[in-house]
Structure formats: structure tokens, C-alpha cells
Amino acid sequence: MKIGICGTGRMGSSIAQRLISVGHQVGVWNRNPAKTKPLVDAGAKLFPSPAELVEANDMVVVMLLNDAASEAVYRAPNGILKSRLTGKLVIDMSTVRPDTMISIGGAVASQGAAFVECPVGGSTGPAREGKLLGLVGGEKADVAKAMPVLEQLCRRIEHVGPLGSGATLKLAVNLPLLVYWQALGEALAICKPLNLPADRLIDILSDTAGTPTAMKGRGAVIARALGGAPPAETAFGISAAKKDLATAVQFARSIHAELPVAASALACFEEAEAAGQGEADATTVSVRWAQHPKPTPT
Ligand SMILES: NC(=O)c1ccc[n+]([C@@H]2O[C@H](COP(=O)([O-])OP(=O)(O)OC[C@H]3O[C@@H](n4cnc5c(N)ncnc54)[C@H](OP(=O)(O)O)[C@@H]3O)[C@@H](O)[C@H]2O)c1
């Protein structure tokens, strides 16, 4: 199948690699075309605009940073909504506000294309291995069309309701994990007087019921960073994590719910971003707090 990937950042590139590895003909577009080079070297075809990407492929997987990126890429003069969409399938895997999925999905559907949202749990490693958690929203018939490709990308696919449902569940999935990175920093801060080696401390803290599975992959990275090693490669950046927490807090308010713990964690991520660490991995928040614990700024 000819599949276009719209947005080849960390996740879009990993998804493109996966689709190439299972035998699809992959086309790519990215705002900064330099980021498509490794994929083009691996056999992907580069397109000059989102509209041309859509028209030349049977379906398109969209993986963009945030709401602003989605608005830009769908609604630009050479954007997705300006292409001949009839009969196409668009799967949007970005983590954005539920109402963004509803409005973009409605605009795509009104032009005769199928639209499915499928924000994902799991990072670049699971994306390359086809082991993401797919949180799907959309019409049943559209989801059925997307299933064969989703099954090549995901270890588990949950169709949880109409458009906006997948986006809502994705915000819920990320919330406890992002709060955990800040909470881990606070746990490490109170262990400072013990003077234990970082790898031993992380090993003990990881062997407990309160530890997320993400620590299996990230625990050693955090221990090394606590020991002064240079930062590890970013899998999920602080700015993107901050965006997810901010989106969850805003969305909760829109349905008359408050998220006091998430709001406090958000302030800590905002502070790390303001200190110039936006591109660092989200786990840097734990290390930062362990090394410089202080009250959250108001
Ligand atoms: N990384 C993870 O572990 C992970 C896991 C699950 C879900 N997610 C979600 O997946 C999405 C992508 O994350 P990522 O880690 O791949 O981020 P990333 O590496 O920062 O890539 C972001 C992508 O969005 C594009 N973009 C940003 N602003 C844009 C704009 N105004 N116009 C056009 N394109 C724009 C970037 O283009 P340029 O290259 O030109 O900047 C790039 O293609 C996010 O919604 C994130 O929350 C990430």
C-alpha cells in the first residue's frame, strides 16, 4: 500500500520506519525537509507539500506536535484540506485537544474521506517495533478501513468512541506518567541525605508497586544522569510533555473538573522549559528536581 507520513519528527519517523520495514511504499512530508533524509535514504519518497502527499498516496498517517501544527498543516494553502480527498483515508496519531480532532476530522469527512484519530501510548522504540497502544476515535466503518495498518503499528487497539474520544483517553494515559516524573524527582530529593549511589537508589525505588512500566526503559537513563552523565537522547521532550499536561488541565476545566496535582506538575514542566530544557527528555524533570529541589514557582 502507498502510505504518506505527514510529520517526520521523532514519532512520525519511527512510524515511517515501521511501515517501510513491513513492506509499504512510504511517502513523507515534513515542515523541515532535512528531517526526512534518513527515511528517504531508506527508500521513502519526499513530497513538497501535505496536499501532494495526500494525492499521491492511498492513505496518510499524520503525526504532528500540537494543535497549532495540526491547524497549520490541514488548513494551509497547500495543506491536507486543499487536496483531492475523496476516497482517501487519514489516520491522525497526534496528541491534540479532543475538539481539534472533531473539527479537523469533520472537515476531512465533509470532503469524502475517512478520518480516524489514533493517538498512541508508547514512544519511539515501540513505534519502530509496531507495539504502540492505539486509542481510537471515529466512525465504525472508517475504523474498519484503518485497522489493517493500525494492526501493523500497534500491539493493542482500543476503539473507545466517536472522534475526540481517543484524544481524551490519550490525555488521561499521559497524565499519571508525567506526574510520576516530577514525583520521582521529589522522592529522590528526600533521599539526598542518604548518599546512596544513584543506580542503587533507582533500583530500589523501581522495585515497588508505585513504579510505572516506563521505569524499565528509563530508570537506567535517570540513574546515569543523576551520576552526572551527559543527557540521553530525547524520546519524549519536556515541551511536548508540558503541552500534554496543559491540554489535560484545559480540557478538564471545559468539562468542569479540576486537576490540582496535574496543574502542579505542569508548573514544574513549565519551569524546566523556561530554563531552556524544552528539548530534553521528559525524565530530565526528575533529575532536575532531585538536584535542585525548591518550591514550585507561583
Ligand atoms: N515522543 C514520544 O514518545 C511520543 C509518544 C506518544 C505520542 N507522542 C505525540 O506525538 C506527536 C509528535 O511527537 P514527537 O515526539 O514526534 O515530536 P517532535 O519530534 O517534536 O516532532 C513534531 C513534528 O511536528 C511538526 N511540527 C511542529 N510544529 C509544526 C508547525 N507549526 N507546522 C508544521 N509542522 C509542525 C514538526 O515539524 P519540524 O520537524 O519541521 O519541526 C515535526 O514533524 C506529539 O503530539 C506527541 O505528544 C509522542
Side-chain angles (χ1 to χ4, degrees), residues 24-267:
H24 292 290
Q25 272 180 269
V26 168
V28 289
W29 173 84
N30 197 56
R31 179 180 62 173
N32 171 2
K35 283 194 197 165
T36 61
K37 184 166 186 312
L39 295 168
V40 170
D41 291 346
K45 184 170 178 201
L46 177 63
F47 287 87
S49 73
E52 284 158 279
L53 181 77
V54 171
E55 292 194 3
N57 288 280
D58 306 312
M59 58 168 287
V60 174
V61 174
V62 180
M63 191 43 140
L64 297 164
L65 184 62
N66 55 18
D67 298 285
S70 296
E71 288 295 328
V73 170
Y74 280 88
R75 299 189 198 278
N78 58 0
I80 292 174
L81 288 168
K82 293 293 186 300
S83 60
R84 283 186 293 272
L85 272 162
T86 311
K88 303 283 181 179
L89 168 63
V90 178
I91 303 178
D92 197 320
M93 301 187 119
S94 319
T95 304
V96 293
R97 290 198 314 260
D99 59 288
T100 298
M101 285 297 190
I102 293 168
S103 84
I104 281 169
V108 169
S110 73
Q111 295 191 37
F115 181 91
V116 170
E117 62 169 345
C118 183
V120 293
S123 193
T124 48
R128 283 191 298 270
E129 292 161 13
K131 292 189 176 155
L132 294 166
L133 167 63
L135 305 167
V136 175
E139 295 291 331
K140 217 171 164 185
D142 295 342
V143 175
K145 283 185 196 153
M147 265 311 182
V149 166
L150 292 182
E151 280 168 353
Q152 292 178 321
L153 295 174
C154 302
R155 65 176 168 79
R156 176 173 177 174
I157 301 163
E158 288 289 339
H159 181 198
V160 291
L163 286 183
S165 313
T168 303
L169 192 55
K170 171 59 186 169
L171 296 176
V173 162
N174 270 24
L175 191 159
L177 177 61
L178 299 179
V179 166
Y180 176 80
W181 294 133
Q182 172 61 20
L184 176 65
E186 295 179 18
L188 293 167
I190 61 170
C191 290
K192 228 177 179 182
L194 302 179
N195 281 320
L196 292 171
D199 53 352
R200 187 169 169 212
L201 189 51
I202 290 291
D203 187 44
I204 296 167
L205 288 171
S206 299
D207 190 17
T208 64
T211 305
T213 50
M215 276 295 270
K216 283 191 195 133
R218 305 311 282 166
V221 169
I222 294 171
R224 280 197 295 276
L226 287 167
E233 195 185 333
T234 297
F236 182 46
I238 282 180
S239 290
K242 182 212 81 173
K243 173 262 303 183
D244 287 358
L245 279 172
T247 308
V249 168
Q250 278 167 17
F251 176 69
R253 289 199 181 124
S254 76
I255 57 164
H256 309 292
E258 288 296 325
L259 307 181
V261 174
S264 293
L266 170 60

Side-chain angles (χ1 to χ4, degrees), residues 12-31:
S13 291
S14 303
I15 287 166
Q17 281 173 37
R18 168 71 182 164
L19 292 173
I20 291 169
S21 78
V22 296
H24 292 290
Q25 272 180 269
V26 168
V28 289
W29 173 84
N30 197 56
R31 179 180 62 173

